[in-house]
């Protein structure tokens, strides 16, 4: 289920002009990724709720906290990073499959380990997974 959430968010962010969007759990070496802006998606909290059973389908409501990290080169200004986030990432997140109903936190800090300026945006989402019931 977590992979589905990450993939749906990733699909809403990727476009023909920007595809440096990764799962925080991928196995692609960091050094082979984009040297400009790059975006990582993590799900640090996930909770399912009571399933609803229909004739051939099970509906599983869930809540999760998603974390989007946008990394920019260390020499990038905070203004440019916020502009990229506000003009590109945020509108696409708002058009995604999930309802964002609570912004948890926004932080901006340099990461000296990777020599990048990092903007982290955490938010709570709700959704429903649909699973076809194959039992007879």
């Amino acid at each position: 289920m977590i992979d589905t959430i990450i993939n749906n968010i990733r699909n809403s962010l990727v476009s023909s002009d920007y595809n440096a969007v990764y799962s925080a759990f991928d196995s692609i070496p960091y050094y082979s990724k984009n040297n400009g802006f790059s975006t990582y998606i993590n799900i640090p909290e996930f909770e399912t709720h009571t399933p609803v059973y229909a004739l051939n389908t099970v509906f599983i409501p869930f809540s999760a906290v998603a974390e989007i990290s946008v990394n920019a080169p260390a020499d990038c200004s905070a203004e440019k990073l916020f502009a990229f986030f506000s003009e590109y990432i945020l509108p696409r997140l708002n058009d995604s499959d999930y309802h964002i109903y609570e912004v948890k936190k926004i932080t901006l800090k340099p990461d000296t380990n990777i020599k990048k300026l990092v903007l982290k945006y955490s938010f709570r989402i709700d959704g429903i997974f649909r699973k076809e019931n194959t039992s007879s």
Side-chain angles (χ1 to χ4, degrees):
M1 288 187 203
I2 292 174
D3 283 343
T4 301
I5 296 170
I6 289 173
N7 287 333
N8 285 345
I9 294 172
R10 183 182 185 285
N11 290 340
S12 69
L13 297 178
V14 169
S15 70
S16 61
D17 59 333
Y18 182 71
N19 64 359
V21 182
Y22 309 96
S23 165
F25 306 109
D26 74 14
S27 60
I28 301 169
Y30 183 79
Y31 58 83
S32 68
K33 295 178 181 174
N34 188 332
N35 289 328
F37 289 109
S38 54
T39 303
Y40 297 87
I41 305 161
N42 187 16
I43 306 294
E45 296 178 32
F46 178 78
E47 176 181 10
T48 60
H49 306 289
T50 306
V52 176
Y53 297 91
L55 184 60
N56 294 318
T57 309
V58 178
F59 297 95
I60 306 167
F62 72 89
S63 297
V65 171
E67 182 179 81
I68 305 294
S69 297
V70 182
N71 297 0
D75 61 347
C76 179
S77 69
E79 181 180 18
K80 188 174 180 180
L81 179 54
F82 272 117
F84 175 77
F85 177 77
S86 299
E87 294 168 12
Y88 185 83
I89 301 292
L90 200 53
R92 291 171 190 257
L93 282 176
N94 289 333
D95 290 339
S96 72
D97 292 340
Y98 300 114
H99 173 67
I100 299 171
Y101 73 89
E102 178 186 5
V103 175
K104 303 285 281 179
K105 182 173 32 170
I106 299 175
T107 60
L108 177 70
K109 66 178 185 173
D111 187 331
T112 56
N113 293 327
I114 59 173
K115 296 184 174 108
K116 299 270 186 178
L117 184 61
V118 180
L119 182 145
K120 287 191 180 181
Y121 177 71
S122 297
F123 54 96
R124 181 166 289 286
I125 57 176
D126 285 328
I128 298 174
F129 285 111
R130 178 185 172 142
K131 182 179 178 185
E132 298 300 321
N133 192 356
T134 58
S135 64
S136 302

